[in-house]
Amino acid sequence: MSERPRLTVLSGPSGVGKSTVVAHMRKEHPEVWLSVSATTRKPRPGEKHGVHYFFVTDDEMDKLIANGELLEWAEFAGNRYGTPRAAVLERLEAGEPVLLEIDLQGARQVRESMAEAQLVFLAPPSWEELVRRLTGRGTEAPEVIERRLDAAKVELAAEPEFDMTLVNTSVEDVARELLALVDVV
Ligand code: ADP
Ligand code: 5GP
């Protein structure tokens, strides 16, 4: 059997449940290492610097990009997001599985730079359910929700680019499937 990929990218439209699924998986399997991204977005209530994101200013993001410190980065719905390179490479060099939760543009960049990465798409059970989840989360203003739903149409159309799709009907089921894919030893 060939060696399994060590780097897994989880993508999917905003509101589909990526954070929920990953949090559920890590509650039972804290050993799964998730990259903490840098973002220029403001923290939502309860989000902690260094845990959910590294919350940075525009200037700080400019520097991270200019210094080549990001493995990939993208602008999403008015904010910039990027994956710190060093922490990911350290884990991979130590032979440990790495999980990235990033948008479609980031997933494409990772596919270009790391051919061995496996790309997993998290899909909603339906468009109506995606709208319900994104709106029901209650964390974004109506115009931000609109931007995210516009982006969601593009992301859903790109599903065939991914190595596999998981449909987020049940958080428990998807968390279990994802754990198997991440290949924790
Ligand atoms: P993402 O990280 O993809 O933007 P979230 O994890 O924040 O999405 O989930 C968006 C909303 O959908 C949250 O309110 C979450 O509780 C809810 N949610 C996530 N997964 C499910 C599911 N399988 N069934 C019902 N609601 C879900
Ligand atoms: P949110 O603002 O809802 O936390 O994230 C918005 C989008 O940005 C989501 O699709 C999320 O996966 C993506 N994202 C989070 N971190 C990164 C990152 O480091 N790089 C890229 N390209 N996208 C990211």
Side-chain angles (χ1 to χ4, degrees), residues 7-12 71-76 83 100-121 151-163:
L7 186 140
T8 304
V9 172
L10 181 67
S11 273
L71 183 66
E72 59 74 35
W73 70 273
E75 179 158 349
F76 180 88
T83 303
L100 306 184
E101 194 228 290
I102 60 177
D103 87 323
L104 170 66
Q105 306 164 78
R108 284 175 173 158
Q109 291 172 48
V110 171
R111 161 131 293 165
E112 287 299 309
S113 60
M114 305 178 116
E116 73 284 6
Q118 66 175 343
L119 270 52
V120 181
F121 189 80
K153 289 178 189 144
V154 176
E155 306 219 63
L156 287 170
E159 185 202 322
E161 293 177 34
F162 287 74
D163 297 312

Side-chain angles (χ1 to χ4, degrees), residues 12-21 44 101 129 133-134 136-137 148 168-171:
S14 179
V16 70
K18 299 180 296 297
S19 308
T20 304
V21 164
R44 294 178 186 139
E101 194 228 290
E129 177 62 13
R133 287 183 192 173
L134 188 54
R137 189 169 68 190
R148 286 174 178 245
N168 184 16
T169 305
S170 147
V171 171

